[in-house]
């Protein structure tokens, strides 16, 4: 029997962590993630979990402790945000290259400077090349569901990679919503017992993690890391389907919203997808053939599925909630436009930077994005590839 | 060194699964000069043994004799040749 509660995204994540009952959690508090770790610390002190909770002095140490614990052979989780994720940067790559199935909840928050605590995706996008799987959530329910699936994905013997589950700062992390929790036992069975691989605590079979690796092997190791992350797309889909059987909520790599006959499409990640769905509904009511492509799994990038979903469209407006300074568009735009390049006839693609530092995005903003891509398609060419939504000129 | 492996043959995560296999790693393979001792000149003072930064001078402690070099690990730095009071060590270029 599942249970319906009013929870914010942080609490939803904390409950998932409680039900997963990891061996080790090492975390450092940072707004807006604090609430999640605080709640989890309560579960620890109430004896509701068996977790060894390590209170470290920084995020660099948090992920370092997680790496050590995961290499030792434990199921390990952590959570962070913004500057915290930035401070973890060097350890992120190490966790992935050692193929440690750590699950980390990231509350998306802008990076300094100036100091801002509100949502954008610059923290997670800054870590997009680190070798972690990245799952984005649209609401608190998806945060909960993604956390549970992340454990299965990370620990799958075909994957063995760390996973980030993201949620938008404050918009999801602090807004109370209806969240359906599975039974504790159902989650326990779904994630299953932890199966360690080459644990350091197995002293009869000693192994070395992270040795010096120079010009003769480093390249080959990176090649196998590329293979590992590319190969996990089918596992993410498999776990999403299996989770659907358990919960009634199936997950894919993408979500297509009213896309079947859509001529114009917005592509977005995270909570903005909810706003975009409302914009799609309103425009559909006015007879516009529009739809939304929501990217749930950004890393690995589901290129083939994106091509399939976008190839028949006339125009695509990508919404990027983080900036690539000096780049040709945001991280989502760059991937999408590049994926479509080989098509014999491809949709026109434009990019909008939006929502930086928590700037609100309204249904009307998304409607503007649709209006613009329609104009671009009518003109038959893109004059301005990158534009802004909700910015004062 | 054994034949280099392809990326498909490597253990996951760049791990080393065999304990103590550093023993098989010959660290002297990038040496450009090798020390050679002329035992006719050598007085077994062990200066070379004491100064070698790589523990690559082989001595027989029981007999008190300097026996030669461990070429698997000697880096060819020439310190032994430079400290030898009898100029018994010559550095020979590796081809
Ligand atoms: S050349 Fe250097 S490394 Fe080699 S034996 Fe002499 S002192 Fe040791
Ligand atoms: S330093 Fe010269 S004389 Fe002394 S043991 Fe070495 S080779 Fe012989």
């Amino acid at each position: 029997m599942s249970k319906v509660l009013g929870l914010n995204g942080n609490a939803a994540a904390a409950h998932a962590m409680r039900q997963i009952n990891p061996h080790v959690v090492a975390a450092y508090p940072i707004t807006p993630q604090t609430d999640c770790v605080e709640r989890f610390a309560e579960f620890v002190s109430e004896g509701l979990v068996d977790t060894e909770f390590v209170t470290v002095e920084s995020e660099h140490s948090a992920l370092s402790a997680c790496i050590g614990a995961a290499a030792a052979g434990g199921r390990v989780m952590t959570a962070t945000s913004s500057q915290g994720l930035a401070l973890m940067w060097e350890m992120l790559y190490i966790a992935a290259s050692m193929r440690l199935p750590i699950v980390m909840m990231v509350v998306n928050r802008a990076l300094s400077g100036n100091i801002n605590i509100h949502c954008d995706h610059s923290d997670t996008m800054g870590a997009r090349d680190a070798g972690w799987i990245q799952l984005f959530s649209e609401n608190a329910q998806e945060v909960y569901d993604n956390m549970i699936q992340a454990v299965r994905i990370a620990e799958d013997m075909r994957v063995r990679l760390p996973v980030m589950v993201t949620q938008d700062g404050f918009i999801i992390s602090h807004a109370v919503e209806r969240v359906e929790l599975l039974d504790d036992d159902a989650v326990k069975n779904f994630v299953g017992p932890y199966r360690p691989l080459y644990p350091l605590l197995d002293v009869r079979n000693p192994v070395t993690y992270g040795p010096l690796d120079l010009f003769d092997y480093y390249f080959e190791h990176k090649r196998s890391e590329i293979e590992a992350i590319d190969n996990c797309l089918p596992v993410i889909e498999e776990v999403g389907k299996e989770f659907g059987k358990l919960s009634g909520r199936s997950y894919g790599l993408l979500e297509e919203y009213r896309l079947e006959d859509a001529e114009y499409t917005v592509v977005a990640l995270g909570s903005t997808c909810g706003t975009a769905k409302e914009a799609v509904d309103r425009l559909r009511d006015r007879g516009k053939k529009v739809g939304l492509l929501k990217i749930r799994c950004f890393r690995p990038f589901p290129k083939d599925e994106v091509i399939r979903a976008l190839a028949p469209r006339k125009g695509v407006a990508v919404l990027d909630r983080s900036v690539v300074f000096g780049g040709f568009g945001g991280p989502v735009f760059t991937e999408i436009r590049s994926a479509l390049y080989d098509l014999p006839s491809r949709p026109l693609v434009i990019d909008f930077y939006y929502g930086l530092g928590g700037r609100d995005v309204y249904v009307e903003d998304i409607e503007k994005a649709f209006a613009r891509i329609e104009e671009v398609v009518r003109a038959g060419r893109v004059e301005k590839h990158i534009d802004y939504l909700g910015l004062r000129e | 060194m054994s034949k280099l492996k392809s990326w498909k043959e490597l253990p996951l995560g760049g791990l080393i699964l065999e304990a103590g296999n550093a023993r098989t790693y010959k660290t002297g393979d990038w040496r450009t000069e090798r020390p050679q001792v002329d035992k006719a000149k050598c007085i077994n003072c062990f200066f070379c043994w004491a100064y070698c930064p790589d523990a690559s001078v082989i001595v027989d402690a029981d007999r008190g004799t300097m026996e030669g070099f461990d070429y698997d690990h000697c880096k060819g730095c020439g310190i032994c040749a430079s400290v030898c009071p009898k100029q018994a060590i010559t550095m020979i270029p590796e081809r």
Side-chain angles (χ1 to χ4, degrees), chain A residues 66-302:
Chain A
C66 287
I67 288 170
R75 176 177 276 159
V76 179
M77 301 181 86
T78 184
T80 192
S81 179
S82 182
Q83 306 304 115
L85 185 61
L87 187 54
M88 286 180 177
W89 203 77
E90 63 170 349
M91 305 315 292
L92 289 173
Y93 283 75
I94 293 171
S97 66
M98 288 184 183
R99 308 283 302 276
L100 300 172
I102 299 165
V103 172
M104 167 152 64
M105 194 276 285
V106 179
V107 183
N108 287 131
R109 162 186 149 181
L111 287 173
S112 301
N114 293 345
I115 299 172
N116 181 300
I117 55 167
H118 291 283
C119 174
D120 72 34
H121 294 163
S122 48
D123 50 3
T124 307
M125 286 302 174
R128 72 188 188 276
D129 299 338
W132 287 57
I133 294 168
Q134 295 183 321
L135 303 177
F136 281 76
S137 322
E138 183 185 325
N139 49 44
Q141 182 70 63
E142 290 195 7
V143 172
Y144 173 79
D145 294 348
N146 279 336
M147 288 293 281
I148 294 166
Q149 291 172 69
V151 174
R152 276 283 301 276
I153 295 164
E155 293 174 11
D156 191 289
M157 286 299 170
R158 293 162 291 172
V159 175
R160 301 306 282 199
L161 280 170
V163 181
M164 268 176 220
V165 172
T166 80
Q167 57 173 309
D168 286 349
F170 292 103
I171 302 166
I172 302 177
S173 70
H174 284 65
V176 175
E177 294 179 75
R178 178 193 187 280
V179 177
E180 206 174 303
L181 297 189
L182 297 166
D183 267 358
D184 291 0
D185 277 345
V187 175
K188 193 177 167 188
N189 291 335
F190 185 80
V191 298
Y194 185 65
R195 288 170 303 159
L197 193 59
Y198 306 122
L200 284 174
L201 288 180
D202 178 2
V203 289
R204 271 189 301 272
N205 295 293
V207 295
T208 305
Y209 274 84
L212 183 69
D213 193 6
L214 301 180
F215 44 76
D216 49 358
Y217 272 111
Y218 181 88
F219 200 175
E220 277 71 23
H221 283 133
K222 289 299 130 183
R223 177 66 186 85
S224 63
E225 209 181 322
I226 292 168
E227 191 76 2
I229 191 156
D230 284 348
N231 284 345
C232 61
L233 286 170
V235 178
I236 299 171
E237 283 186 296
E238 234 176 82
V239 173
K241 280 199 193 100
E242 204 188 315
F243 187 80
K245 281 190 205 125
L246 174 71
S247 65
R249 297 180 298 276
S250 272
Y251 285 81
L253 303 164
L254 310 169
E255 183 188 326
E256 300 180 20
Y257 186 75
R258 304 189 78 169
L259 213 56
E260 326 77 46
D261 62 338
E263 293 177 343
Y264 307 104
T265 306
V266 152
V267 178
L269 284 65
S271 63
T272 303
C273 294
T275 317
K277 285 173 182 172
E278 177 64 22
V280 166
D281 289 349
R282 286 193 198 174
L283 291 169
R284 283 272 177 183
D285 286 347
R286 282 183 245 148
K288 298 275 187 194
K289 289 188 166 178
V290 294
L292 161 75
L293 181 68
K294 166 171 126 185
I295 309 234
R296 173 194 179 222
C297 173
F298 185 71
R299 282 287 181 269
F301 187 73

Side-chain angles (χ1 to χ4, degrees), chain A residues 8-18 36 105 140 143-144 147 167:
Chain A
N8 66 25
N10 273 330
H15 275 286
M17 290 167 77
R18 173 180 61 74
C36 167
M105 194 276 285
V143 172
Y144 173 79
M147 288 293 281
Q167 57 173 309

Side-chain angles (χ1 to χ4, degrees), chain B residues 15-28:
Chain B
L15 267 61
I16 297 174
L17 304 181
E18 190 191 334
N21 73 349
R23 208 181 294 124
T24 65
Y25 188 28
K26 312 277 184 271
T27 57

